[in-house]
CSV table of all heavy atoms in Angstrom, one decimal:
chain,number,residue,atom,x,y,z
A,1,SER,N,98.4,91.6,95.4
A,1,SER,CA,97.1,91.7,96.1
A,1,SER,C,96.0,91.3,95.1
A,1,SER,O,96.2,91.4,93.9
A,1,SER,CB,96.8,93.1,96.6
A,1,SER,OG,96.9,94.0,95.6
A,2,TYR,N,94.9,90.8,95.6
A,2,TYR,CA,93.8,90.3,94.8
A,2,TYR,C,92.5,90.8,95.2
A,2,TYR,O,92.2,91.0,96.5
A,2,TYR,CB,93.8,88.8,94.8
A,2,TYR,CG,95.1,88.1,94.3
A,2,TYR,CD1,96.1,87.8,95.2
A,2,TYR,CD2,95.2,87.8,92.9
A,2,TYR,CE1,97.2,87.2,94.7
A,2,TYR,CE2,96.4,87.2,92.5
A,2,TYR,CZ,97.4,86.9,93.4
A,2,TYR,OH,98.5,86.3,92.9
A,3,ALA,N,91.5,90.9,94.3
A,3,ALA,CA,90.2,91.2,94.6
A,3,ALA,C,89.6,90.0,95.3
A,3,ALA,O,90.0,88.8,94.9
A,3,ALA,CB,89.4,91.6,93.4
A,4,ASP,N,88.7,90.1,96.2
A,4,ASP,CA,88.1,89.0,96.8
A,4,ASP,C,87.4,88.0,95.9
A,4,ASP,O,87.4,86.8,96.1
A,4,ASP,CB,87.0,89.4,97.9
A,4,ASP,CG,87.7,90.1,99.1
A,4,ASP,OD1,88.9,89.9,99.3
A,4,ASP,OD2,87.0,90.8,99.8
A,5,SER,N,86.9,88.5,94.8
A,5,SER,CA,86.2,87.7,93.8
A,5,SER,C,87.1,86.7,93.1
A,5,SER,O,86.6,85.7,92.5
A,5,SER,CB,85.4,88.6,92.9
A,5,SER,OG,86.4,89.4,92.2
A,6,VAL,N,88.4,87.0,93.1
A,6,VAL,CA,89.3,86.1,92.4
A,6,VAL,C,90.3,85.4,93.3
A,6,VAL,O,91.1,84.6,92.8
A,6,VAL,CB,90.0,86.9,91.2
A,6,VAL,CG1,89.0,87.5,90.3
A,6,VAL,CG2,91.0,87.9,91.8
A,7,LYS,N,90.3,85.8,94.5
A,7,LYS,CA,91.4,85.3,95.4
A,7,LYS,C,91.3,83.8,95.5
A,7,LYS,O,90.2,83.2,95.7
A,7,LYS,CB,91.2,85.9,96.8
A,7,LYS,CG,92.4,85.8,97.7
A,7,LYS,CD,92.1,86.7,99.0
A,7,LYS,CE,92.0,88.1,98.7
A,7,LYS,NZ,91.9,89.0,99.9
A,8,GLY,N,92.4,83.2,95.4
A,8,GLY,CA,92.5,81.7,95.4
A,8,GLY,C,92.3,81.0,94.1
A,8,GLY,O,92.5,79.8,93.9
A,9,ARG,N,91.8,81.8,93.1
A,9,ARG,CA,91.6,81.3,91.8
A,9,ARG,C,92.6,81.9,90.7
A,9,ARG,O,93.0,81.2,89.8
A,9,ARG,CB,90.2,81.5,91.3
A,9,ARG,CG,89.1,80.8,92.2
A,9,ARG,CD,87.8,81.0,91.6
A,9,ARG,NE,87.3,82.3,91.4
A,9,ARG,CZ,87.0,82.9,90.2
A,9,ARG,NH1,87.1,82.2,89.1
A,9,ARG,NH2,86.7,84.1,90.1
A,10,PHE,N,92.9,83.1,90.9
A,10,PHE,CA,93.8,83.9,90.0
A,10,PHE,C,95.2,84.1,90.6
A,10,PHE,O,95.2,84.3,91.9
A,10,PHE,CB,93.2,85.2,89.6
A,10,PHE,CG,92.0,85.2,88.7
A,10,PHE,CD1,91.3,84.0,88.5
A,10,PHE,CD2,91.5,86.3,88.1
A,10,PHE,CE1,90.2,83.9,87.7
A,10,PHE,CE2,90.4,86.3,87.3
A,10,PHE,CZ,89.7,85.1,87.1
A,11,THR,N,96.2,84.1,89.8
A,11,THR,CA,97.5,84.3,90.3
A,11,THR,C,98.2,85.3,89.4
A,11,THR,O,98.3,85.1,88.2
A,11,THR,CB,98.3,83.0,90.4
A,11,THR,OG1,97.7,82.0,91.1
A,11,THR,CG2,99.7,83.3,90.9
A,12,ILE,N,98.7,86.4,90.0
A,12,ILE,CA,99.4,87.4,89.2
A,12,ILE,C,100.9,87.1,89.4
A,12,ILE,O,101.4,86.8,90.6
A,12,ILE,CB,99.1,88.8,89.6
A,12,ILE,CG1,99.7,89.8,88.6
A,12,ILE,CG2,99.5,89.1,91.0
A,12,ILE,CD1,99.2,91.2,88.8
A,13,SER,N,101.7,87.2,88.4
A,13,SER,CA,103.1,87.0,88.5
A,13,SER,C,103.9,87.8,87.5
A,13,SER,O,103.2,88.4,86.6
A,13,SER,CB,103.5,85.5,88.3
A,13,SER,OG,103.1,85.1,87.0
A,14,ARG,N,105.2,88.0,87.7
A,14,ARG,CA,105.9,88.8,86.8
A,14,ARG,C,107.2,88.1,86.4
A,14,ARG,O,107.8,87.4,87.2
A,14,ARG,CB,106.2,90.1,87.3
A,14,ARG,CG,107.0,90.1,88.6
A,14,ARG,CD,107.3,91.5,89.2
A,14,ARG,NE,108.1,91.4,90.4
A,14,ARG,CZ,108.9,92.3,90.8
A,14,ARG,NH1,109.0,93.5,90.2
A,14,ARG,NH2,109.6,92.2,92.0
A,15,ASP,N,107.7,88.3,85.2
A,15,ASP,CA,109.0,87.9,84.7
A,15,ASP,C,109.8,89.1,84.4
A,15,ASP,O,109.6,89.7,83.3
A,15,ASP,CB,108.8,86.9,83.5
A,15,ASP,CG,110.1,86.3,83.0
A,15,ASP,OD1,111.2,86.9,83.3
A,15,ASP,OD2,110.1,85.3,82.4
A,16,SER,N,110.7,89.5,85.3
A,16,SER,CA,111.4,90.7,85.0
A,16,SER,C,112.3,90.7,83.8
A,16,SER,O,112.5,91.7,83.1
A,16,SER,CB,112.2,91.1,86.3
A,16,SER,OG,111.4,91.3,87.4
A,17,ALA,N,112.8,89.5,83.5
A,17,ALA,CA,113.7,89.4,82.4
A,17,ALA,C,113.0,89.6,81.1
A,17,ALA,O,113.5,90.1,80.1
A,17,ALA,CB,114.3,88.0,82.4
A,18,LYS,N,111.6,89.3,81.1
A,18,LYS,CA,110.9,89.5,79.9
A,18,LYS,C,110.0,90.8,80.0
A,18,LYS,O,109.2,91.1,79.1
A,18,LYS,CB,110.0,88.3,79.7
A,18,LYS,CG,110.8,87.0,79.4
A,18,LYS,CD,109.8,85.9,79.1
A,18,LYS,CE,110.6,84.6,78.8
A,18,LYS,NZ,109.7,83.5,78.5
A,19,ASN,N,110.1,91.5,81.1
A,19,ASN,CA,109.2,92.7,81.3
A,19,ASN,C,107.8,92.4,81.1
A,19,ASN,O,107.0,93.1,80.4
A,19,ASN,CB,109.7,93.9,80.4
A,19,ASN,CG,111.1,94.3,80.6
A,19,ASN,OD1,111.5,94.3,81.8
A,19,ASN,ND2,111.8,94.7,79.6
A,20,THR,N,107.4,91.2,81.6
A,20,THR,CA,106.0,90.7,81.4
A,20,THR,C,105.4,90.4,82.7
A,20,THR,O,106.0,89.8,83.6
A,20,THR,CB,106.0,89.5,80.4
A,20,THR,OG1,106.6,89.9,79.2
A,20,THR,CG2,104.6,89.0,80.2
A,21,VAL,N,104.1,90.7,82.8
A,21,VAL,CA,103.3,90.3,84.0
A,21,VAL,C,102.2,89.4,83.4
A,21,VAL,O,101.6,89.6,82.4
A,21,VAL,CB,102.7,91.6,84.6
A,21,VAL,CG1,101.7,91.2,85.7
A,21,VAL,CG2,103.8,92.4,85.3
A,22,TYR,N,101.9,88.4,84.2
A,22,TYR,CA,100.9,87.4,83.8
A,22,TYR,C,99.8,87.3,84.8
A,22,TYR,O,99.9,87.7,86.0
A,22,TYR,CB,101.6,86.0,83.8
A,22,TYR,CG,102.8,85.9,82.9
A,22,TYR,CD1,104.1,86.0,83.4
A,22,TYR,CD2,102.7,85.6,81.5
A,22,TYR,CE1,105.2,85.9,82.6
A,22,TYR,CE2,103.8,85.5,80.7
A,22,TYR,CZ,105.0,85.7,81.3
A,22,TYR,OH,106.1,85.6,80.4
A,23,LEU,N,98.7,86.9,84.3
A,23,LEU,CA,97.5,86.6,85.1
A,23,LEU,C,97.0,85.2,84.8
A,23,LEU,O,96.5,85.0,83.7
A,23,LEU,CB,96.4,87.6,84.9
A,23,LEU,CG,95.2,87.5,85.8
A,23,LEU,CD1,95.6,87.8,87.3
A,23,LEU,CD2,94.0,88.3,85.4
A,24,GLN,N,97.3,84.3,85.7
A,24,GLN,CA,96.9,82.9,85.5
A,24,GLN,C,95.5,82.8,86.1
A,24,GLN,O,95.4,83.1,87.3
A,24,GLN,CB,97.9,82.0,86.2
A,24,GLN,CG,97.4,80.5,86.2
A,24,GLN,CD,97.4,79.9,84.8
A,24,GLN,OE1,98.3,80.2,84.0
A,24,GLN,NE2,96.4,79.1,84.5
A,25,MET,N,94.6,82.4,85.3
A,25,MET,CA,93.2,82.3,85.8
A,25,MET,C,92.7,80.9,85.8
A,25,MET,O,92.7,80.2,84.7
A,25,MET,CB,92.2,83.2,84.9
A,25,MET,CG,92.7,84.6,84.8
A,25,MET,SD,91.7,85.6,83.7
A,25,MET,CE,92.1,84.9,82.2
A,26,ASP,N,92.4,80.4,87.0
A,26,ASP,CA,92.0,79.0,87.1
A,26,ASP,C,90.6,79.0,87.7
A,26,ASP,O,90.2,79.9,88.2
A,26,ASP,CB,93.0,78.2,88.1
A,26,ASP,CG,94.4,78.2,87.5
A,26,ASP,OD1,94.6,78.0,86.3
A,26,ASP,OD2,95.3,78.3,88.3
A,27,THR,N,90.0,77.8,87.6
A,27,THR,CA,88.6,77.6,88.1
A,27,THR,C,87.7,78.8,87.6
A,27,THR,O,87.0,79.3,88.4
A,27,THR,CB,88.6,77.5,89.6
A,27,THR,OG1,89.7,76.6,90.0
A,27,THR,CG2,87.3,76.8,90.0
A,28,LEU,N,87.8,79.0,86.4
A,28,LEU,CA,87.0,80.1,85.8
A,28,LEU,C,85.5,79.9,85.9
A,28,LEU,O,85.0,78.8,85.8
A,28,LEU,CB,87.4,80.4,84.3
A,28,LEU,CG,88.7,81.2,84.2
A,28,LEU,CD1,89.3,81.0,82.8
A,28,LEU,CD2,88.6,82.6,84.5
A,29,LYS,N,84.8,81.0,86.2
A,29,LYS,CA,83.4,81.0,86.3
A,29,LYS,C,82.7,81.8,85.2
A,29,LYS,O,83.4,82.8,84.7
A,29,LYS,CB,83.0,81.5,87.7
A,29,LYS,CG,83.6,80.8,88.8
A,29,LYS,CD,83.2,81.5,90.2
A,29,LYS,CE,83.9,80.8,91.3
A,29,LYS,NZ,83.5,81.5,92.6
A,30,PRO,N,81.5,81.6,84.9
A,30,PRO,CA,80.9,82.5,83.9
A,30,PRO,C,80.9,84.0,84.3
A,30,PRO,O,81.1,84.8,83.4
A,30,PRO,CB,79.4,82.0,83.9
A,30,PRO,CG,79.5,80.5,84.2
A,30,PRO,CD,80.6,80.5,85.2
A,31,GLU,N,80.9,84.3,85.6
A,31,GLU,CA,80.9,85.7,86.0
A,31,GLU,C,82.3,86.3,85.8
A,31,GLU,O,82.5,87.5,86.0
A,31,GLU,CB,80.5,85.8,87.4
A,31,GLU,CG,81.1,84.9,88.4
A,31,GLU,CD,80.3,83.6,88.7
A,31,GLU,OE1,79.8,83.0,87.7
A,31,GLU,OE2,80.3,83.2,89.9
A,32,ASP,N,83.3,85.5,85.4
A,32,ASP,CA,84.6,86.1,85.1
A,32,ASP,C,84.7,86.6,83.7
A,32,ASP,O,85.7,87.2,83.3
A,32,ASP,CB,85.7,85.0,85.3
A,32,ASP,CG,85.9,84.6,86.7
A,32,ASP,OD1,85.9,85.4,87.6
A,32,ASP,OD2,86.0,83.3,86.9
A,33,THR,N,83.6,86.4,82.9
A,33,THR,CA,83.6,86.9,81.5
A,33,THR,C,83.7,88.4,81.5
A,33,THR,O,82.9,89.1,82.2
A,33,THR,CB,82.2,86.4,80.9
A,33,THR,OG1,82.2,85.0,80.7
A,33,THR,CG2,82.1,87.0,79.5
A,34,ALA,N,84.6,88.9,80.8
A,34,ALA,CA,84.8,90.4,80.7
A,34,ALA,C,86.0,90.6,79.7
A,34,ALA,O,86.6,89.7,79.3
A,34,ALA,CB,85.2,90.9,82.1
A,35,VAL,N,86.1,91.9,79.5
A,35,VAL,CA,87.3,92.3,78.8
A,35,VAL,C,88.4,92.7,79.9
A,35,VAL,O,88.1,93.4,80.8
A,35,VAL,CB,87.1,93.5,77.9
A,35,VAL,CG1,88.4,94.0,77.3
A,35,VAL,CG2,86.1,93.2,76.9
A,36,TYR,N,89.5,92.1,79.8
A,36,TYR,CA,90.6,92.2,80.8
A,36,TYR,C,91.6,93.2,80.3
A,36,TYR,O,92.1,93.1,79.1
A,36,TYR,CB,91.2,90.9,81.1
A,36,TYR,CG,90.4,90.0,82.0
A,36,TYR,CD1,89.2,89.5,81.5
A,36,TYR,CD2,90.7,89.8,83.3
A,36,TYR,CE1,88.4,88.7,82.3
A,36,TYR,CE2,89.9,89.0,84.2
A,36,TYR,CZ,88.7,88.5,83.6
A,36,TYR,OH,87.9,87.7,84.5
A,37,TYR,N,92.1,94.1,81.2
A,37,TYR,CA,93.0,95.2,80.8
A,37,TYR,C,94.2,95.1,81.8
A,37,TYR,O,94.1,94.8,83.0
A,37,TYR,CB,92.4,96.6,81.0
A,37,TYR,CG,91.2,96.8,80.0
A,37,TYR,CD1,89.9,96.5,80.4
A,37,TYR,CD2,91.4,97.3,78.8
A,37,TYR,CE1,88.9,96.7,79.6
A,37,TYR,CE2,90.3,97.6,77.9
A,37,TYR,CZ,89.0,97.3,78.3
A,37,TYR,OH,88.0,97.5,77.5
A,38,CYS,N,95.4,95.4,81.2
A,38,CYS,CA,96.5,95.6,82.0
A,38,CYS,C,96.9,97.1,82.2
A,38,CYS,O,96.7,97.8,81.3
A,38,CYS,CB,97.7,94.9,81.3
A,38,CYS,SG,99.3,95.1,82.0
A,39,SER,N,97.3,97.4,83.4
A,39,SER,CA,97.6,98.8,83.7
A,39,SER,C,98.9,98.9,84.4
A,39,SER,O,99.2,98.1,85.3
A,39,SER,CB,96.5,99.5,84.5
A,39,SER,OG,96.9,100.8,84.8
A,40,ALA,N,99.8,99.9,84.1
A,40,ALA,CA,101.0,100.1,84.8
A,40,ALA,C,101.0,101.6,85.3
A,40,ALA,O,100.6,102.5,84.6
A,40,ALA,CB,102.2,99.9,83.9
A,41,GLN,N,101.5,101.7,86.5
A,41,GLN,CA,101.5,103.0,87.1
A,41,GLN,C,103.0,103.4,87.5
A,41,GLN,O,103.7,102.6,88.0
A,41,GLN,CB,100.7,103.0,88.4
A,41,GLN,CG,99.2,102.8,88.1
A,41,GLN,CD,98.4,102.9,89.4
A,41,GLN,OE1,98.7,103.7,90.3
A,41,GLN,NE2,97.3,102.2,89.4
A,42,SER,N,103.3,104.7,87.2
A,42,SER,CA,104.5,105.3,87.6
A,42,SER,C,104.1,106.4,88.5
A,42,SER,O,102.9,106.7,88.7
A,42,SER,CB,105.3,105.8,86.4
A,42,SER,OG,104.6,106.9,85.8
A,43,PRO,N,105.0,107.1,89.2
A,43,PRO,CA,104.6,108.2,90.1
A,43,PRO,C,103.8,109.3,89.5
A,43,PRO,O,103.0,109.9,90.2
A,43,PRO,CB,105.9,108.7,90.6
A,43,PRO,CG,106.9,107.6,90.5
A,43,PRO,CD,106.4,106.8,89.3
A,44,LEU,N,103.9,109.5,88.2
A,44,LEU,CA,103.2,110.6,87.6
A,44,LEU,C,102.1,110.1,86.6
A,44,LEU,O,101.3,111.0,86.1
A,44,LEU,CB,104.1,111.5,86.9
A,44,LEU,CG,105.1,112.3,87.9
A,44,LEU,CD1,106.0,113.2,87.1
A,44,LEU,CD2,104.3,113.1,88.9
């Protein structure tokens, strides 16, 4: 799922073998300037 502000420009994907999640960001805009954080959630 994606926020409306990035839908169609950003793509989230995962490589289970590498335990890595990616965020491919295309057609970047000045308003995309920010510090980006990754978060993982478990049940607790």
Side-chain angles (χ1 to χ4, degrees):
S1 59
Y2 299 91
D4 287 343
S5 59
V6 306
K7 199 173 295 183
R9 301 188 298 119
F10 289 13
T11 303
I12 190 170
S13 63
R14 59 178 184 157
D15 184 333
S16 298
K18 297 182 178 180
N19 297 325
T20 299
V21 171
Y22 304 97
L23 185 68
Q24 176 66 40
M25 303 181 290
D26 298 319
T27 319
L28 282 160
K29 305 175 181 180
E31 51 264 43
D32 294 318
T33 296
V35 178
Y36 284 71
Y37 299 90
C38 171
S39 176
Q41 295 183 30
S42 69
L44 296 178

